[in-house]
Amino acid sequence: MAQKPSIPKGTRDFSPSEVAKRNFIIQSIKEQFEKFGFQPIETPSFENSETLMGKYGEEGDRLIFKILNSGDFLRKVDEQAYKGKDSLKITSSISEKALRYDLTVPFARYVVQHRNELEFPFKRYQIQPVWRADRPQKGRFREFFQCDADVVGSDSLWQEVEFVQLYDAVFTSLGLEGVTIKMNNRKVLSGFAEVIGESDKLIDFTVALDKLDKIGEEGVEKEMGEKGISSEAIQKIRKVFGLKGTFSEKIEVLKGILATSEIGTKGIEELEFINSAINELGLSTANLDLDVTLARGLNYYTGAIFEVSAPKGVAMGSIGGGGRYDDLTGIFGMSGVSGVGISFGLDRIYLVLEELNLFPETVARNIKALFINFGNKESLYCLKAIKELRSAGVAAELYPEEAKMKKQMNHANKREIPFVILAGAEEIENKKFTLKNMKSGEQQAVSLENLISILEK
RNA sequence: GUGGUUGUAGCUCAGCUGGUUAGAGCGCUGGAUUGUGGUUCCAGAGGUCGCCGGUUCGAACCCGGUCUUCCACCCCA
């Protein structure tokens, strides 16, 4: 064989059984999305560069896959930029399209572009691949699926409440019990920065705070210091680090800390509203927790922030996230439309279900019976039966070659086909079929009617 | 983008300090067994040792580059 073919870094092929399992997850998610009133849309794999660039911060721009222009693109490159090896400028002149980086920004574009056709509040879901030029790691790929549900055009906090319920419904239906839905509010984070007098360093502050569970209190304080946050400010915020207890207990502590901040107090009220509603409504298997260190990377969140982590004991990053962004469509010139949404990380959920052995055995579609091939005359007899079986809803097939019995039986074994049917000269004469159960080894001669009724079960 | 790590048969992996013709288990193909699979026994096929270059009388092994894998940052699903 010549040089073995390969696929690019961070991409994957999916085998039949993997596709079956992925479809199982996607089906469960879709079912819940639709139960909650979301409708599917799809957007193109690639967008105009200007739609994506600059929407995810500097880091995000670096991770966007750019598509090279067709034709003699170098001719149009700015001479100055080319000579100065200015990659940034050259990129914008040789690449006008880029692969989508997430589903939220294309959705914002969609809403603005179709604003006059949409009925608000508009609830959509979208399950499509996205691409990031990231370094792959466990559960991190360069091509992966996102499953998003968003509502635009409603400020109501009941939306947040419904999203918590939606998370619970999806993970419950997947059999993944004990996930933790962590919640925070951007306004609380702003409140912290305000209270300690470092409002202008909000981003640096939240990025450092977000790392608490990873680098510990000392690490966070060190990083905040490095970013120019004063030690008095850090002193003031320390008690937030060790915040413990139930959702409501944490709320009470935070009320005290943020009493002087209007925006912080607003954030607390929102969290309290959602929590008490959820307490009243109840969750099936998920837990709701308040995590004030939750910041998440996306800068466009303005209210609630969600992140879902796998049940304890499973080493996996977040398996879902989301939040409210009051002005997402503002970046496309349509302001005053509030949106809130959540996302499911399909690939990570897959890994978690696999690790916990939670895929039902029945996810893989398989045929019920294989007919052994004894020759052309017998095959025709079999195919007549197969036709009847199929129209009765039973998946069955004929082994295509008149191969040795051993080979045909083996094939059925490998494919884990539960029944094998033999029909040779003798069966044809008696208008019967020999049905063999591959598990028990038992076999019996049955009529076509019996065959159908047995396999229909 | 930074630092590290990995690559040998279809799969999981051995392979000594650089020394003839690179091995095992599983899997695969054929036979024992021409209408009965899984167990057993016998035989066989299958490798440019990721790729390119260098050092050496000699390289799977040492050196450089490159691709890939996984990991820690960065960031994030």
Side-chain angles (χ1 to χ4, degrees):
Chain A
M1 192 164 53
Q3 178 72 32
K4 267 185 204 167
S6 62
I7 54 175
K9 188 202 298 203
T11 64
R12 296 151 299 159
D13 284 328
F14 299 113
S15 67
S17 74
E18 287 168 325
V19 171
K21 290 176 192 168
R22 289 168 67 85
N23 283 341
F24 164 74
I25 299 174
I26 291 171
Q27 274 316 317
S28 305
I29 293 176
K30 270 189 188 172
E31 213 176 288
Q32 298 306 324
F33 278 178
E34 290 180 4
K35 243 183 236 177
F36 278 72
F38 293 87
Q39 294 180 301
I41 69 160
E42 292 188 11
T43 62
S45 303
F46 53 97
E47 296 269 350
N48 293 324
S49 294
E50 67 230 39
T51 302
L52 305 181
M53 297 297 283
K55 307 300 192 295
Y56 309 99
E58 216 174 296
E59 192 65 26
D61 282 359
R62 203 194 79 211
L63 298 176
I64 291 173
F65 275 109
K66 289 99 187 167
I67 298 174
L68 201 55
N69 287 350
S70 351
D72 192 3
F73 51 82
L74 274 184
R75 196 171 293 279
K76 298 174 192 161
V77 172
D78 183 274
E79 202 67 35
Q80 208 96 32
Y82 186 70
K83 277 193 182 132
K85 301 202 170 169
D86 185 340
S87 300
L88 211 68
K89 263 199 180 144
I90 294 174
T91 302
S92 60
S93 63
I94 65 175
S95 164
E96 288 158 358
K97 296 170 287 296
L99 291 177
R100 72 169 161 247
Y101 178 88
D102 70 358
L103 300 178
T104 309
V105 168
F107 173 53
R109 190 225 81 222
Y110 177 93
V111 169
V112 175
Q113 199 176 322
H114 300 275
R115 63 217 277 182
N116 295 326
E117 306 146 35
L118 298 178
E119 169 64 17
F120 292 96
F122 178 56
K123 297 169 81 171
R124 75 86 229 226
Y125 76 84
Q126 198 171 348
I127 300 177
Q128 290 190 277
V130 303
W131 295 269
R132 296 186 187 178
D134 207 356
R135 283 265 187 104
Q137 261 177 51
K138 186 181 182 183
R140 290 177 74 162
F141 307 96
R142 298 183 118 183
E143 177 184 62
F144 62 96
F145 271 72
Q146 283 192 335
C147 313
D148 279 24
D150 291 79
V151 184
V152 287
S154 167
D155 293 321
S156 168
L157 282 175
W158 293 114
Q159 305 291 3
E160 275 86 335
V161 172
E162 284 216 272
F163 277 121
V164 173
Q165 291 184 297
L166 178 53
Y167 266 138
D168 180 49
V170 168
F171 288 116
T172 299
S173 86
L174 287 173
L176 185 58
E177 302 185 354
V179 302
T180 301
I181 303 167
K182 293 186 284 187
M183 206 169 63
N184 193 11
N185 195 299
R186 178 62 171 264
K187 297 186 177 95
V188 168
L189 293 169
S190 298
F192 286 151
E194 192 178 308
V195 169
I196 62 171
E198 299 277 8
S199 285
D200 55 326
K201 298 202 181 71
L202 177 63
I203 300 288
D204 285 336
F205 169 79
T206 53
V207 167
L209 189 60
D210 191 41
K211 293 178 187 165
L212 183 65
D213 58 338
K214 213 168 192 176
I215 60 179
E217 283 186 38
E218 278 176 41
V220 172
E221 288 178 23
K222 188 170 159 237
E223 180 161 336
M224 284 183 177
E226 282 166 6
K227 295 288 181 185
I229 293 168
S230 72
S231 47
E232 299 88 68
I234 295 173
Q235 251 347 87
K236 280 186 198 162
I237 206 66
R238 275 187 110 146
K239 50 188 155 181
V240 169
F241 295 167
L243 203 56
K244 290 254 154 53
T246 65
F247 201 112
S248 331
E249 284 164 7
K250 289 179 189 170
I251 289 277
E252 290 312 314
V253 176
L254 290 174
K255 274 184 183 166
I257 297 173
L258 294 169
T260 57
S261 164
E262 194 183 323
I263 189 160
T265 302
K266 183 87 194 345
I268 294 292
E269 282 167 8
E270 290 185 13
L271 286 169
E272 204 170 11
F273 178 91
I274 297 162
N275 184 47
S276 60
I278 290 298
N279 276 340
E280 196 73 28
L281 293 162
L283 294 177
S284 305
T285 61
N287 310 299
L288 183 65
D289 191 19
L290 171 60
D291 181 356
V292 292
T293 69
L294 190 64
R296 302 186 52 77
L298 296 179
N299 311 322
Y300 45 64
Y301 290 129
T302 52
I305 301 173
F306 298 111
E307 185 169 296
V308 182
S309 53
K312 285 194 179 69
V314 184
M316 182 62 65
S318 70
I319 54 177
R324 180 172 285 275
Y325 35 86
D326 273 330
D327 200 26
L328 185 71
T329 54
I331 55 181
F332 297 114
M334 179 182 175
S335 52
V337 182
S338 185
V340 54
I342 60 172
S343 180
F344 291 81
L346 171 63
D347 300 278
R348 288 189 177 180
I349 292 170
Y350 181 101
L351 292 170
V352 171
L353 293 186
E354 191 77 295
E355 191 173 330
L356 297 177
N357 229 307
L358 291 176
F359 284 112
E361 274 179 30
T362 53
V363 289
R365 297 240 168 237
N366 199 359
I367 59 165
K368 207 73 180 280
L370 179 75
F371 283 71
I372 298 295
N373 190 322
F374 288 109
N376 284 340
K377 192 173 162 222
E378 292 85 350
S379 292
L380 197 60
Y381 177 75
C382 289
L383 280 169
K384 283 177 185 163
I386 290 174
K387 187 178 158 192
E388 298 297 324
L389 279 170
R390 287 177 180 159
S391 67
V394 178
E397 68 181 58
L398 171 73
Y399 192 86
E401 322 284 337
E402 189 185 341
K404 285 196 177 127
M405 173 79 70
K406 177 177 169 135
K407 193 174 165 74
Q408 300 195 41
M409 295 294 272
N410 228 327
H411 181 74
N413 243 358
K414 297 258 171 59
R415 285 179 58 189
E416 297 181 316
I417 298 167
F419 292 97
V420 159
I421 294 160
L422 301 94
E426 198 178 319
E427 283 89 351
I428 294 178
E429 195 168 322
N430 303 327
K431 297 200 167 89
K432 295 268 183 177
F433 296 86
T434 298
L435 176 67
K436 181 181 172 87
N437 181 321
M438 289 300 276
K439 212 165 196 174
S440 64
E442 288 165 18
Q443 57 187 60
Q444 53 180 320
V446 296
S447 66
L448 180 58
E449 291 74 39
N450 283 339
L451 187 64
I452 293 173
S453 68
I454 292 172
L455 293 180
E456 255 178 344
K457 284 175 208 155

